[in-house]
Amino acid sequence: MATTVRRAVLTLPGAPLGPENPLPALRPLDELHALDERAKEGLPRDMARQIGYEPLRTVLPTRLRDGYGRERAGTDLDTIVIENDRLRVTVLPGLGGRVHSLHHRPTGRELVYVNPVFQPAAFALNGAWFSGGIEWNIGATGHTTLSCAPLHAAVVPAPDGGEMVRLWEWERLRDLPFQVDLWLPDGSDFLYVGVRIRNPHERPAPVYWWSNIAVPEGERTRVVAPADEAWHFGYERALRRVAVPGHEGVDRTYPLRSEYPADYFYDVPREARRWIASLGEDGHGLVQTSTDLLRGRKLFLWGAGRGGRRWQEWLTEPGTPGYAEIQAGLARTQLEHVRLDAEEEFSWLEAYGPLSADPAAVHGDDWAAARSETAARLEAALPRADVDAAYEAWQRCADTEPGEILTTGSGWGALEVLRAGYKLPGTPFPEATLGEEQAPWLELLRTGVLPAPRRVTPPGPTLVAPHWRDMLETAPAEPLTEYHLGVAQWHAGDFAQAVRSWERGLQLAPSRWPLLRCLAVADRTGGHVERAAERYAEAFDDLCAERRDDGEAWTAATEALARETIEALLAARRPAAARGVLTRLWPGIRNRGRFRLLEARLLLAEGDRDAARAIFDEGFEVADLHEGTEILGEVWSALTDEPLPAQYDHRMRPVRT
């Protein structure tokens, strides 16, 4: 059959994403993949330089996505299906362009781990993320802020004359447009993926890219890559070189033989072909390969320990087979960002498909033989020269204008193109995609004035790039303008000037709570715990007096501000004031898991250990529990010396004594 592209609908048990958090993400990232300066000693010079190159301080201008829950119901997800007589590829354009399924038709095998549910969890840089399939991570260290966002998608002529699917969007953390082209040559066992990241600016930009492939794990599933050493990164935040396949007496290329979650960044020699494979007990599995620019290869494993298994259940449901991740990136590790010069681009080609190798060689004691066997089978199935030729053919199609539009992404790219007049052949950002969120910024661009909202509502998102900050600085100094200007200045690291802008805005603001909350964050960041608590309490009082209804926008603002306020009041040892905030919440908010945990902490502060313990005994789930967090164990340890119950054990590293 000829390759076809069609729309379809996939129905899964799913939890609603909920609204975005309307409070600007001013606080520093709780980034797990971070090293202190001492940990960089002894690293290769280029690696250390790239680890220190433009690390992300906040996720501005994007907003946090923490409004989801854990109650699932039948959910319809729009898909794009690309199919030939060998493969069927199911893409989720509304969820970051994720490849949900890669089905090998002749054998009936799923080549990737297919999550049977849609369950957001707090793994993306801005919160909501879900597991499974193949995801495209761009922006900065971590899972992309586009994990649960729609991308533009269209049909484009493929290099072989058939059809391919183009996904594209404007990545806002680094202000860079990118595209992902997917096509299946007629009769091919491999999905080809052409990727391009462009820097249209007159300044260099830090770039991050990792393609993450979830693969089924099993007792005899082995990950093979062309390397004898790897950089190990555990949740102790240390990076060290280790031997492959084993160190500390354990063969780490089998994901279930480790106890705790960990990253293994394979040190692939420069001259070696770039590939990584996950092969089962029978020697069958998935291989990923690419042109040479995509240098890095990685294994992420959850391990067989209690915390890792609990996370596996958390991301899907009990009784579901687990997964590991094999990954491919621009740098050797995910702690690095790569410089992309002004008006330049990065582009490469990836290929994904089935691989069958001799299981005796793959699972034998000779690592060199396992690598050699896998490499030889890959070369027979898809020669390196064919990948290079496919890349050259794709480059001639990369600028082709899209045909049939399948889905529409955000309007932020259209706003940037209008502002700067960028020419981006192949990835149009038409003015018709501008929406309500872009409207005030479009007026600022055209008139120099940021308009006041037509109704009382929580402020919209802030643009923080230097050109928008410059426009805010020259606009009339209205309270809302000062609010947005302060957010942009904070993002730029000009904290003192941000505080001055917020204080100026506060003098005449009809709506005080957004400015008070920003000032409270500044106080808490600066170590002024008491003043932060005062400002948070005042902000919450003002929001309660101002909110108009219990609709989605006001509920999201109330929940987000209440959470921060209670935490600030507890930090200032003011449990009575924290109790006052908690009692003013609507039952629907107060009964959510995150507030049940806060109440347990509050009861501890009030000295009622029995009542705090009763909350744990009743059971609760904090839907947006952050990757690597240890708060549940910390609160439990303050209550009792008993072992932490399995349902609360999300620990990703050994317990510190």
Side-chain angles (χ1 to χ4, degrees), residues 113-126:
Y113 168 75
V114 177
N115 196 333
V117 304
F118 173 67
Q119 178 56 65
F123 279 68
L125 284 164
N126 63 336

Side-chain angles (χ1 to χ4, degrees), residues 268-304:
V268 178
R270 284 191 174 274
E271 70 280 0
R273 183 177 182 181
R274 305 324 193 226
W275 59 267
I276 189 168
S278 175
L279 303 174
E281 183 175 9
D282 56 4
H284 299 304
L286 170 79
V287 66
Q288 187 271 359
T289 188
S290 71
T291 48
D292 288 352
L293 183 67
L294 204 64
R295 178 183 183 184
R297 292 298 185 275
K298 170 192 161 183
L299 163 65
F300 167 76
L301 53 86
W302 286 107

Side-chain angles (χ1 to χ4, degrees), residues 517-538:
R517 181 264 177 180
C518 290
L519 290 166
V521 173
D523 285 334
R524 194 164 186 193
T525 302
H528 304 294
V529 177
E530 290 290 342
R531 193 167 66 198
E534 287 289 343
R535 279 179 161 157
Y536 264 121
E538 187 179 353

Side-chain angles (χ1 to χ4, degrees), residues 10-32:
L10 174 69
T11 302
L12 294 176
L17 273 170
E20 292 182 335
N21 186 326
L23 306 185
L26 301 175
R27 291 187 290 182
L29 291 171
D30 182 18
E31 177 49 55
L32 297 171

Side-chain angles (χ1 to χ4, degrees), residues 328-382:
L330 282 172
R332 273 178 290 184
T333 74
Q334 286 178 326
L335 287 70
E336 303 169 67
H337 299 101
V338 181
R339 176 186 169 114
L340 178 57
D341 287 329
E343 299 179 344
E344 296 292 336
E345 68 178 47
F346 288 145
S347 64
W348 64 89
L349 184 102
E350 304 181 44
Y352 298 81
L355 193 71
S356 295
D358 178 6
V362 168
H363 297 289
D365 294 333
D366 188 336
W367 174 243
R371 286 172 39 199
S372 177
E373 165 68 10
T374 307
R377 295 301 182 105
L378 170 60
E379 185 65 19
L382 184 63

Side-chain angles (χ1 to χ4, degrees), residues 13 59 89 170 192 223 265 307 439 510 515 522 582 626 643 649:
V59 297
V89 185
W170 194 278
Y192 286 169
V223 172
F265 300 102
L515 292 151
L582 192 63
H626 193 271
D649 192 349

Side-chain angles (χ1 to χ4, degrees), residues 129 213 464 469 484 572:
W129 174 87
I213 311 111
V464 298
R469 188 171 71 247
H484 286 299

